[in-house]
Amino acid sequence: MKILRPIIVLSLATLLVWVVFGLWPRSAEEDAGPAERGDANATAGKPAPAMTAAGEGEDLPPLPPKGIPIDQAAPLLAAHARAGHARAACRLALELLSCRFTLGQDGLRGLHSLSAERHAAQGNLEAAIRIDQQSMAVAESASACRRVEPALHEDAVSLLSQAARAGVPYAMYLYGTGEHYRYRDIGFAATPEFDQWRRSAPGMMLAARDAGIPEAAAFLARAYSQDVGLAYALFPDDQVQANAHWQLQSLLGSGATSGHFPFMFDRLDAAQERESIERARRWHKEAFASGVFHNLSSSDMPYFPGTHGSMASSDCQGPAPRTSVGTLRQAGD
């Protein structure tokens, strides 16, 4: 007993130190943040309204005009998004995702400066001036991006997801591409956010096609025929679907069907060829009113505002939602 008494005292003293200084192991629930453990304080007050693709809030000032710096537009766009207005959430998400690209480009300013100097030394002053002007414009946009509240930058993907689920067609398309993960930190695939995207992205892209987003055709043609890309791997290999979307892309760009899809590994037989063309013509009529988009890019990659290229439909204001995303189809449907 005399031998055990010092051991017991020492053990109790050690336990007291662990408790006082917070060294006692915490449960997973204790380590979770308010959102994970359902903290009442995190959800106190009026619940956020359901997000809809309807117009602007009657009790808020009008949405800021397009083209103004993001740091000036963000507070009002965020207020509209918090009020449940999906188009404002889409526009804010688009601007914030553009910031990721812009900040990355601004980090290459030194390389751009060297390129301008090389052109100037070669006597190509026009090219040197153009590079300098582009670099200055990127630096100005990057400065505006840095003035935006950091928490808003963290909400970019969540805002895009909310707008997509509310039925904003361009948000559905952009969310489906997964391009918002291009500038993410390492480890993004281990998050619940990514798992949610993985499950819903194919259905979102199909909904975007049915809602009249022409760029969805180019994306789906490649998604059904190859796996070179994050979102492409979520779609099964389906040569009929691939050719059908290739023919739809051709109809949207020129009004006529095209020849063999160059990304396909196997030729279709005559019956499969007819079936794919029939699908394309049906989609063209039902989702796009048989319209032709002469400025339609052949690329399947989305463009963010202020980066490069242009799209026929890169606008959160249109077209009007036609498809409910409550029951998204799967990629094999």
Side-chain angles (χ1 to χ4, degrees), residues 202-203 206 224 234-236 238 241 329-333:
L206 292 170
Y224 279 112
L234 301 177
F235 288 79
D238 188 325
Q241 284 277 48
R329 288 171 295 149
Q330 299 302 307
D333 291 351

Side-chain angles (χ1 to χ4, degrees), residues 22-312:
L23 300 177
W24 189 260
R26 292 153 58 89
S27 68
E29 183 177 355
E30 289 174 313
D31 279 330
E36 289 84 353
R37 65 173 181 260
D39 194 326
N41 292 328
T43 57
K46 184 179 179 181
M51 189 162 284
T52 70
E56 304 169 16
E58 296 179 359
D59 55 342
L60 291 171
L63 290 175
K66 294 181 181 180
I68 69 172
I70 178 62
D71 59 320
Q72 298 178 30
L76 187 53
L77 288 173
H80 276 272
R82 284 192 296 270
H85 306 125
R87 294 190 187 278
C90 173
R91 183 175 158 193
L92 179 57
L94 205 57
E95 295 285 355
L96 293 170
L97 292 169
S98 177
C99 275
R100 293 183 183 178
F101 177 90
T102 301
L103 291 169
Q105 288 296 302
D106 190 50
L108 302 175
R109 199 186 312 175
L111 293 177
H112 296 158
S113 179
L114 289 174
S115 178
E117 291 175 5
R118 185 175 67 253
H119 281 292
Q122 295 171 350
N124 191 349
L125 295 180
E126 183 178 347
I129 291 172
R130 183 173 63 252
I131 292 172
D132 277 337
Q133 289 175 337
Q134 291 173 347
S135 183
M136 290 173 61
V138 168
E140 185 176 345
S141 296
S143 180
C145 288
R146 293 187 182 98
R147 291 193 293 269
V148 174
E149 182 183 353
L152 270 185
H153 284 290
E154 292 299 317
D155 287 343
V157 176
S158 176
L159 288 164
L160 181 63
S161 173
Q162 292 175 60
R165 292 175 189 285
V168 177
Y170 185 65
M172 292 192 292
Y173 165 77
L174 188 58
Y175 184 76
T177 67
E179 280 297 289
H180 47 281
Y181 288 116
R182 182 179 289 269
Y183 306 105
R184 297 292 284 177
D185 294 333
I186 294 173
F188 65 84
T191 63
E193 172 190 271
F194 179 84
D195 196 48
Q196 182 187 56
W197 169 81
R198 177 185 60 80
R199 293 194 307 269
S200 59
M204 284 287 185
M205 186 59 70
L206 292 170
R209 179 204 65 195
D210 293 343
I213 299 295
E215 288 80 9
F219 185 94
L220 288 166
R222 289 163 177 79
Y224 279 112
S225 61
Q226 58 182 270
D227 291 335
V228 184
L230 190 63
Y232 292 165
L234 301 177
F235 288 79
D237 292 332
D238 188 325
Q239 300 300 294
V240 173
Q241 284 277 48
N243 192 59
H245 286 95
W246 168 255
Q247 299 297 344
L248 174 61
Q249 181 184 355
S250 180
L251 287 166
L252 291 168
S254 66
T257 55
S258 181
H260 177 67
F261 180 35
F263 287 92
M264 291 174 62
F265 296 106
D266 301 315
R267 292 274 183 179
L268 300 179
D269 59 34
Q272 291 174 319
E273 186 78 27
R274 286 195 302 272
E275 180 185 353
S276 62
I277 291 176
E278 287 172 3
R279 289 187 190 183
R281 286 174 173 159
R282 185 179 73 250
W283 294 330
H284 188 216
K285 179 180 179 180
E286 293 177 355
F288 301 93
S290 301
V292 176
F293 300 80
H294 294 292
N295 63 332
L296 181 62
S297 170
S298 61
S299 172
D300 57 323
M301 289 294 99
Y303 298 108
F304 299 122
T307 57
H308 54 87
S310 61
M311 294 184 67

